[in-house]
Amino acid sequence: MIKKAVLPVAGLGTRFLPATKASPKEMLPILDKPLIQYAVEEAVKVGIEEFLFITGKHKRAIEDHFDKAYELEERLKRAGKYDLLEKINCFENLNIAYIRQKEPKGLGDAILCAKPFVKDEAFVVILSDDLIDPDHSVLHEMIKIYEEKKAPVIALEAVPLEEVSRYGIVSGKKIDGYYIVDNLIEKPEPAHAPSNLAIIGRYILTPQIFKYLDSLQPGRGGEIQLTDALKVLLDETVIYGYIIEGKRYDAGEKLGYLKTIVEFALKDTEISYQFVSFLKDKFSNL
Ligand code: UTP
């Protein structure tokens, strides 16, 4: 059973500057909930009990978000706002630890910081800026594959060829609904991409990855890339690719973030009606 999740949140979030100069990208809200909360809720749904956040400078707001807020709780109690109280109290039983990545040297380096927490267990990695439709449990399907194969599993999505240079790209053989990965390249140019299958921010990893991360040289963008470590890991183990079902939103860049908010607003029973009439009004004038 997989009980541990690692959530790297130490990146600089440069695509959202200046908003991310002093506050974490992972705290950007989709309606009233920050991205990181969607990630934690997704993990809780599949039975994750222990969380490790890989944090960095200016990420204190994330720790505060998952901490108790005594004064606010008191005020809400006094005002009889129990619905809001419930909303801010939902993390009380979570077991969360924090390790600081000294410098944002890349996702691979961030994952390496999790070594003492993971020990000898398989673990889930969630990148909170890839928001997956909460109606589809990608992690549940990935854990099923892990439990059968006892090998790493990565989430995949077919993307337009012109977008491959934004992702880790894999190629592989399709068998029984999943892929057996045979190659991985971080952010290739379209002409050099082995396919259009992009790695999405959900992984199930085994502790085998740490020895490769430990000795890895910086790759694309001068960063320690998880994709590069997975590529050398292929010499030791099979890696499975699971094509996600349901919608995935790239909330880590401006246009994707905006699309995510619109989609969530259209599904929100409290505001969707008024939001739709606002949009109709707006587009009728175009
Ligand atoms: P991204 O590349 O999407 O985030 O990394 P970023 O680097 O913060 O953003 P940009 O590209 O500058 O706009 C995916 C996830 O990995 C974490 C990020 O916080 C994000 O959740 N990350 C990235 C780390 O924890 N450490 C790093 O060194 C790099």
Side-chain angles (χ1 to χ4, degrees):
M1 289 295 276
I2 297 185
K3 291 288 167 204
K4 292 180 177 175
V6 175
L7 290 89
V9 294
L12 294 176
T14 52
R15 284 168 289 175
F16 272 99
L17 283 169
T20 47
K21 184 180 171 198
S23 44
K25 170 176 83 172
E26 296 78 10
M27 287 299 292
L28 287 172
I30 303 299
L31 306 187
D32 56 3
K33 242 192 258 180
L35 285 170
I36 192 70
Q37 187 174 335
Y38 286 98
V40 167
E41 288 175 355
E42 185 184 333
V44 167
K45 267 197 204 157
V46 292
I48 298 296
E49 291 173 353
E50 289 180 57
F51 291 83
L52 176 70
F53 286 56
I54 310 295
T55 69
K57 265 205 182 82
H58 308 307
K59 302 287 178 164
R60 266 299 296 275
I62 296 176
E63 292 180 42
D64 291 341
H65 184 71
F66 290 97
D67 203 355
K68 267 193 97 59
Y70 292 103
E71 206 182 313
L72 177 60
E73 285 176 25
E74 267 317 304
R75 278 174 182 272
L76 292 175
K77 254 185 231 161
R78 264 187 272 137
K81 296 187 172 168
Y82 293 102
D83 51 335
L84 293 181
L85 199 59
E86 203 177 314
K87 278 191 183 177
I88 64 159
N89 264 344
C90 53
F91 322 113
E92 278 200 336
N93 299 321
L94 296 185
N95 193 348
I96 305 181
Y98 299 88
I99 290 183
R100 198 142 160 165
Q101 186 187 13
K102 289 190 183 66
E103 263 180 78
K105 287 195 287 189
L107 179 59
D109 182 65
I111 301 297
L112 184 56
C113 298
K115 193 175 169 182
F117 164 85
V118 161
K119 301 199 179 80
D120 56 356
E121 291 172 49
F123 59 103
V124 166
V125 173
I126 304 179
L127 307 187
S128 59
D129 45 6
D130 267 335
L131 185 48
I132 294 178
D133 187 340
D135 295 340
H136 287 86
S137 186
V138 167
L139 283 181
H140 180 73
E141 296 305 317
M142 292 174 73
I143 288 173
K144 274 208 309 217
I145 298 176
Y146 172 77
E147 280 172 354
E148 193 189 320
K149 307 290 181 188
K150 296 284 181 271
V153 186
I154 56 182
L156 301 174
E157 187 184 67
V159 298
L161 200 57
E162 60 275 17
E163 288 179 18
V164 291
S165 56
R166 287 169 38 192
Y167 297 93
I169 298 293
V170 312
S171 60
K173 250 192 237 86
K174 195 169 180 200
I175 296 172
D176 295 339
Y178 48 75
Y179 277 80
I180 295 192
V181 173
D182 60 26
N183 194 12
L184 304 93
I185 304 181
E186 183 63 18
K187 301 189 174 77
E189 291 309 318
H192 301 121
S195 79
N196 67 336
L197 286 179
I199 306 175
I200 301 313
R202 302 293 180 276
Y203 304 75
I204 295 179
L205 299 178
T206 55
Q208 293 159 300
I209 195 74
F210 294 121
K211 71 170 180 276
Y212 298 101
L213 287 171
D214 231 346
S215 56
L216 205 63
Q217 293 303 309
R220 207 53 162 161
E223 296 191 341
I224 306 287
Q225 298 289 358
L226 179 59
T227 309
D228 295 345
L230 289 168
K231 187 178 166 112
V232 274
L233 179 65
L234 277 179
D235 292 338
E236 187 181 333
T237 177
V238 176
I239 297 177
Y240 293 90
Y242 168 71
I243 304 264
I244 64 165
E245 279 172 25
K247 238 177 154 171
R248 192 256 328 176
Y249 305 96
D250 182 1
E253 50 96 24
K254 273 186 272 189
L255 184 60
Y257 179 67
L258 204 56
K259 287 181 185 171
T260 315
I261 292 184
V262 170
E263 294 265 11
F264 276 65
L266 291 174
K267 284 200 281 187
D268 187 297
T269 48
E270 216 177 286
I271 57 169
S272 65
Y273 184 76
Q274 282 165 291
F275 186 54
V276 167
S277 51
F278 162 78
L279 290 178
K280 278 187 183 154
D281 195 33
K282 193 96 198 132
F283 290 112
S284 67
N285 299 328
L286 280 185

